[in-house]
Amino acid sequence: GLAATAVRRPLPRVSGRLKLPGLAEPVQVLRDRWGVPHIYAASARDLFMAQGYVHAQDRLWQMELQRRTGHGRLAELFGEIALDTDRFVRVMGFARVARREIGTLGDEARQQVEAYVAGVNAYIEQNRKRLPIEFTILRARPELWQPIDVVVWGKMMAQNLARGWITEALRAQLVAAVGPERAAALEPEYLAGHPLTLPRGMRYSRDLAAGALRVAGATSRFIGSGELGQGSNAWVVGGARSASGKPLLANDPHLMLQMPSVWYENHLSGGDYHVTGVSLPGTPGVVIGHNERIAWGITNGENDVQDLFVERFDPADPARYQFRGEWLAAEIVREEIVVKGRAAPHVEEVRITRHGPIISALMPADGSQPPSASGGAPADGQPAANEQLALRWTALEPGQTLDAALMLNRARDWAEFRAALARWTSPTLNFVYADVAGHFGYAFAGHMPLRAQGDGRLPSPGWTGEHEWTGLIPADELPRALDPAEGFVVTANNRIIGDDYPYPMPSEYLPGYRAARITQLIEQTERHDARSFGRIQGDQRSLPGLELAALAGRLPAETPL
């Protein structure tokens, strides 16, 4: 009986009346038979305050876990097992970036975030004695929320969708083991005639970034793996291919399976927001869905927006690093991590160069020094022991993704849709689009760096200044298509541009089998409806599996793929 009471006590009230201090007008929350809340408010401020309250009703522990992850404060609750995750997050500096990003929010986005936070805090204040059972088990109490807690989780979502630096480090280890020519031959779907070119003056060791890679792997129990279960699909057909004569859009984003889900379905109506779809608990608005005029879906762009730079530090002063013949002062940030069961906090001193944080600081837990970046004396004789890896990443710079998402919720046509995406920073995403006027299309969103030299596939020397980022691909020139002649658009983490695209877009695209299969199924049906789209989403035919079976002689050569 006590156990049942402890579990049932924090369940949200879904009927009757509740007082929410700060509301200007009454708000109505109707939950349908699936438990999805439909929130109706007179103003946008009241709407987002209510959304924050409802999110907290259903997902407060999930939200607490997420914000602690983003701030690197898990070890306070879980002890040593979470220390590596906290160290990884503190070195990356997600909270430091989020704190700066708060200052870049537009007035409207700031107001909606503050309203959302007020709703979350109202729930916490009213339910101090009815908190989710996880708080009881861990003897924890949630602190009141701040706007930075909203922004920092967006950085963690970018982390979940970006793995460029890891593949870059592994690629360098492969080059060290077998040489650049054989490493290029082992690249999956590597383009013919594109060798792996080592940046001038660079040599790599087989254990390059070993400590950082180990710690990144250890974080998967809390942050999740960037690989497992991922491979999103999205497609849209125009009116000529739909039974209704209007565009039809589908999306199934494959983020890591977890309980509760990373998504939270809700319907929001208030002020100039009339939107429904899935949201992220801890964040206002809708991420994927539709309003009264447009619909949109997303897949991960798989783009390389992370570069590793080898920095040379002064042997006499580890706070100075070399750049274009001069010694520059690195920023030093002291991060204190409280660890449950320890008398004193763990101290992580983070060095930050012009290229980003030094991830070599993520050394093994025994305190031994990490291996050097190149694993041997460089060409100019500088001691290799003073070389460390810095990470440059678009997500570690303040952006306006939250502004863009809220603008997207209110967009009414293609022009407003693209105006919203022009402010999208990170992660890079493929968007499919449809509207009630009959238009459909595709647009890429996110900051894509332009490199002075090279493609960022291998760690570059940070001291020369030859491999700097020189800017971004202009938002107006990012890939897009409105009402393409094919009558449909498919994106499934596959390559999205051809060789004729005027800007380099290094990416770690996934094989195009899923996109090819979706295309097959679209073309096999003359007029699509929700049922035919459901069959596409449930399709289990594996094109690579059939190819493998044919190669193994288990299928006749004429078997259709």
Side-chain angles (χ1 to χ4, degrees):
L2 289 173
T5 300
V7 172
R8 294 179 59 87
R9 183 181 60 186
L11 293 180
R13 286 182 56 184
V14 296
S15 62
R17 291 178 177 270
L18 290 171
K19 289 186 177 181
L20 183 53
L23 286 180
E25 301 286 343
V27 173
Q28 191 174 32
V29 181
L30 303 177
R31 292 183 183 255
D32 60 27
R33 61 191 175 118
W34 295 284
V36 174
H38 301 253
I39 305 174
Y40 298 90
S43 68
R45 184 187 181 281
D46 284 355
L47 176 69
F48 288 110
M49 192 172 182
Q51 186 190 24
Y53 192 95
V54 170
H55 273 177
Q57 275 190 311
D58 289 343
R59 302 284 188 90
L60 184 61
W61 169 248
Q62 179 186 17
M63 293 162 62
E64 177 70 13
L65 195 64
Q66 289 176 175
R67 73 164 167 172
R68 281 184 173 273
T69 302
H71 285 285
R73 295 181 56 191
L74 290 168
E76 293 179 20
L77 293 183
F78 302 110
E80 297 284 347
I81 194 174
L83 178 56
D84 276 345
T85 300
D86 284 354
R87 293 176 60 226
F88 178 85
V89 170
R90 297 290 187 98
V91 168
M92 289 294 182
F94 297 127
R96 296 192 298 269
V97 181
R99 192 170 295 108
R100 292 160 57 201
E101 192 163 306
I102 288 293
T104 72
L105 290 178
D107 291 341
E108 185 164 357
R110 182 186 297 276
Q111 291 169 9
Q112 314 314 9
V113 168
E114 290 174 350
Y116 179 89
V117 166
V120 175
N121 288 338
Y123 179 81
I124 292 173
E125 293 282 22
Q126 292 178 5
N127 294 274
R128 292 281 185 188
K129 297 182 179 180
R130 299 180 66 248
L131 295 171
I133 192 170
E134 294 90 346
F135 288 100
T136 303
I137 293 172
L138 293 168
R139 298 180 182 178
R141 289 290 181 267
E143 299 170 1
L144 293 180
W145 272 56
Q146 304 293 331
I148 190 176
D149 300 326
V150 172
V151 177
V152 79
W153 184 241
K155 299 300 177 183
M156 295 308 304
M157 291 300 297
Q159 162 64 30
N160 288 339
L161 296 176
R163 42 192 171 263
W165 79 265
I166 293 177
T167 56
E168 193 173 326
L170 294 174
R171 187 176 288 117
Q173 291 182 357
L174 188 61
V175 168
V178 302
E181 293 79 12
R182 295 178 69 185
L186 292 171
E187 286 276 330
E189 287 199 359
Y190 198 74
L191 301 179
H194 288 205
L196 282 174
T197 304
L198 269 65
R200 183 166 54 88
M202 291 302 302
R203 289 190 297 119
Y204 305 117
S205 67
R206 297 191 185 192
D207 53 4
L208 178 137
L213 290 170
R214 181 195 64 80
V215 173
T219 65
S220 61
R221 64 168 57 92
F222 294 103
I223 296 178
S225 167
E227 298 286 347
L228 297 177
Q230 293 198 7
S232 303
N233 309 309
W235 64 93
V236 59
V237 301
R241 287 185 173 270
S242 78
S244 66
K246 294 288 187 178
L248 194 62
L249 183 149
N251 187 198
D252 55 308
H254 297 182
L255 295 183
M256 184 179 67
L257 187 65
Q258 64 181 52
M259 184 62 70
S261 169
V262 68
W263 302 114
Y264 183 100
E265 188 176 359
N266 53 197
H267 168 210
L268 308 173
S269 181
D272 53 358
Y273 290 86
H274 303 280
V275 60
T276 186
V278 292
S279 62
L280 294 171
T283 306
V286 162
V287 179
I288 303 172
H290 69 86
N291 58 31
E292 296 174 313
R293 303 292 302 177
I294 75 166
W296 67 94
I298 60 176
T299 66
N300 188 7
E302 305 289 345
N303 307 100
D304 185 3
V305 293
Q306 298 176 319
D307 278 354
L308 290 176
F309 285 87
V310 180
E311 307 284 28
R312 289 183 175 174
F313 283 88
D314 185 351
D317 184 357
R320 298 200 313 165
Y321 66 99
Q322 192 178 37
F323 182 72
R324 290 179 175 168
E326 298 182 7
W327 291 106
L328 305 181
E331 179 185 359
I332 308 296
V333 177
R334 178 184 171 89
E335 296 279 359
E336 293 190 1
I337 304 173
V338 176
V339 183
K340 185 178 181 180
R342 281 194 187 185
H346 171 88
V347 176
E348 195 81 27
E349 284 201 347
V350 184
R351 286 182 292 177
I352 305 171
T353 72
R354 61 180 287 114
H355 299 119
I358 298 297
I359 65 170
S360 304
L362 295 168
M363 62 182 65
D366 60 9
S368 60
Q369 290 296 316
S372 65
S374 59
D380 63 3
Q382 189 77 7
N386 298 314
E387 292 183 353
Q388 305 296 337
L389 286 169
L391 173 64
R392 182 154 195 192
W393 179 16
T394 54
L396 297 184
E397 300 171 1
Q400 294 184 305
T401 296
L402 192 52
D403 293 80
L406 292 172
M407 287 176 63
L408 185 61
N409 281 208
R410 306 191 312 274
R412 296 170 295 178
D413 54 30
W414 176 253
E416 293 185 3
F417 168 75
R418 289 202 54 225
L421 297 191
R423 303 181 73 173
W424 194 279
T425 308
S426 181
T428 55
L429 297 174
N430 301 302
F431 282 79
V432 292
Y433 167 91
D435 66 32
V436 296
H439 299 294
F440 69 102
Y442 162 89
F444 178 91
H447 283 182
M448 277 300 303
L450 293 171
R451 297 164 172 89
Q453 189 178 123
D455 58 9
R457 297 177 69 82
L458 287 168
S460 301
W463 65 88
T464 67
E466 296 175 352
H467 298 266
E468 299 302 290
W469 289 6
T470 59
L472 302 169
I473 297 179
D476 286 343
E477 299 182 44
L478 290 170
R480 66 185 185 278
L482 180 64
D483 299 329
E486 295 84 357
F488 62 90
V489 174
V490 174
T491 171
N493 313 117
N494 53 299
R495 187 179 181 186
I496 59 172
I497 56 169
D499 292 336
D500 57 342
Y501 185 65
Y503 296 97
M505 284 186 67
S507 305
E508 302 285 351
Y509 297 126
L510 300 185
Y513 291 112
R514 282 182 290 112
R517 179 58 181 161
I518 296 168
T519 299
Q520 286 180 356
L521 293 171
I522 288 176
E523 292 178 335
Q524 287 172 9
T525 299
E526 184 177 355
R527 299 277 183 169
H528 285 277
D529 56 18
R531 182 171 296 181
S532 69
F533 268 29
R535 288 195 297 270
I536 295 175
Q537 287 188 315
D539 180 71
Q540 297 183 35
R541 181 176 288 261
S542 169
L543 297 189
L546 290 171
E547 285 187 6
L548 182 62
L551 288 170
R554 306 299 296 176
L555 287 175
E558 65 274 9
T559 300
L561 299 181

